Amino acid sequence: MKTYMQLVAQDLVRRFGNDLSRVAVIFPNKRASLFLNQELARAYAHACGAEDVALWSPAYVTISDFFRRRSTLVVADQIYLVCRLYDVYVRCTGNKSETLDQFYSWGVVLLADFDDIDKNMADAKKVFQIVADLHELDNIDYLDDEQREALKEFFSSFTDSHPSQVRERFSQLWCKLYDIYTEFRSALRHDGFAYEGMLYRDVAEMVDINPEYDTCCFVGFNMLQSVEQCSFDKLKAAEPTGSQPRALFYWDYDDYYM
């Protein structure tokens, strides 16, 4: 039985022969490139019926590098991002009594939420309006015991076992979340920086992604984020530069689950 990498390598050799110089193979991470390179060499040697053959390897790119090469922004490190977020938080809420040390753990959570919103290409204004409306769940008399218990488990920060100041603090924050989100993104963009989800979303929303290679082969993907799916769709629909399409997809899934 052939392995996944063997199947990918054989199809690439069938399509491009020994010249993959204008091909980029995009992986979810860096680990797989060495194995595919070995399988490409074996597949081409087998196709030629010889052992000593030359092969021009493709470029190997991670999905993170693929997005970052399309943008002029730079993904900043977490410490910088949280410090910058703290400045925006103070301006939007007027809460100057809270130190950066006290804010830091909250900042990490907010940053992760912003990242999720952008990678899923969600409407941030609607998302934060939903968060702002959570206070309407204070009265849950209309729920049965099982629903009430599930709700308490999901919103564990609001159970009676936690200090009331957690609830009060979030209450003060929820109406400012969209302002913090928009101003934070604007401040980062002004400085030439971004968090990962922000950069990914910028690229996904481009009219023309315009990769520097004739064909991009996406290998090893199964579950896609919205920014990835949007970008893949645009490449798939792009006009080919030669006989091959602009994008090829080698999905990593088991037939059993299909």
Side-chain angles (χ1 to χ4, degrees):
M1 182 176 178
K2 295 178 180 178
T3 66
Y4 170 71
M5 283 298 185
Q6 286 173 336
L7 292 171
V8 172
Q10 288 174 5
D11 190 68
L12 290 175
V13 167
R14 179 183 64 82
R15 288 175 177 272
F16 301 101
N18 68 333
D19 186 3
L20 287 87
S21 59
R22 298 297 304 162
V23 175
V25 176
I26 295 95
F27 289 115
N29 52 58
K30 294 180 178 179
R31 290 176 295 179
S33 58
L34 176 62
F35 300 104
L36 181 56
N37 222 32
Q38 292 173 342
E39 293 301 339
L40 282 171
R42 292 192 185 105
Y44 186 65
H46 179 75
C48 294
E51 294 184 3
D52 188 15
V53 293
L55 177 74
W56 196 314
S57 297
Y60 293 112
V61 183
T62 65
I63 189 63
S64 177
D65 288 339
F66 174 80
F67 276 99
R68 294 181 191 215
R69 291 180 184 185
R70 314 268 86 74
S71 175
T72 58
L73 300 177
V74 176
V75 175
D77 65 78
Q78 181 173 278
I79 294 176
Y80 171 85
L81 290 170
V82 175
C83 290
R84 201 73 175 90
L85 181 56
Y86 173 71
D87 292 338
V88 173
Y89 167 80
V90 171
R91 286 200 302 273
C92 290
T93 63
N95 184 6
K96 299 181 180 179
S97 62
E98 187 169 10
T99 67
L100 176 59
D101 286 345
Q102 294 170 323
F103 172 82
Y104 196 90
S105 60
W106 284 82
V108 172
V109 173
L110 280 178
L111 188 60
D113 287 343
F114 294 169
D115 193 69
D116 284 341
I117 284 171
D118 284 341
K119 285 183 176 177
N120 287 288
M121 302 186 75
D123 184 329
K125 191 170 186 177
K126 290 182 179 179
V127 170
F128 291 126
Q129 182 58 51
I130 292 170
V131 175
D133 289 342
L134 282 177
H135 69 280
E136 294 181 6
L137 294 175
D138 286 346
N139 183 0
I140 56 176
D141 294 339
Y142 60 92
L143 301 178
D144 61 35
D145 291 341
E146 184 178 354
Q147 291 171 326
R148 192 176 292 114
E149 189 60 33
L151 190 66
K152 284 185 177 181
E153 183 178 347
F154 188 75
F155 295 108
S156 58
S157 296
F158 305 105
T159 61
D160 295 335
S161 61
H162 289 71
S164 60
Q165 65 183 17
V166 173
R167 189 189 199 105
E168 181 181 353
R169 185 176 180 184
F170 191 80
S171 298
Q172 295 171 349
L173 178 61
W174 69 35
C175 62
K176 298 292 185 179
L177 284 175
Y178 183 66
D179 293 338
I180 294 172
Y181 168 82
T182 53
E183 188 168 332
F184 178 52
R185 284 168 52 91
S186 178
L188 289 178
R189 195 179 302 280
H190 179 269
D191 296 340
F193 291 113
Y195 52 89
E196 191 173 73
M198 174 182 167
L199 184 146
Y200 280 24
R201 186 170 193 164
D202 277 4
V203 173
E205 291 176 344
M206 290 178 178
V207 175
D208 184 7
I209 296 178
N210 192 29
E212 63 266 40
Y213 299 96
D214 292 346
T215 301
C216 293
C217 304
F218 295 91
V219 178
F221 292 86
N222 40 49
M223 297 288 289
L224 297 181
Q225 296 169 318
S226 296
V227 286
E228 294 170 337
Q229 183 172 341
C230 180
S231 301
F232 291 2
D233 285 343
K234 288 181 179 179
L235 281 172
K236 182 180 178 181
E239 287 292 327
T241 55
S243 60
Q244 296 294 338
R246 295 304 301 274
L248 293 170
F249 302 94
Y250 298 91
W251 304 112
D252 184 11
Y253 61 81
D254 194 299
D255 285 338
Y256 173 82
Y257 298 103
M258 301 302 291

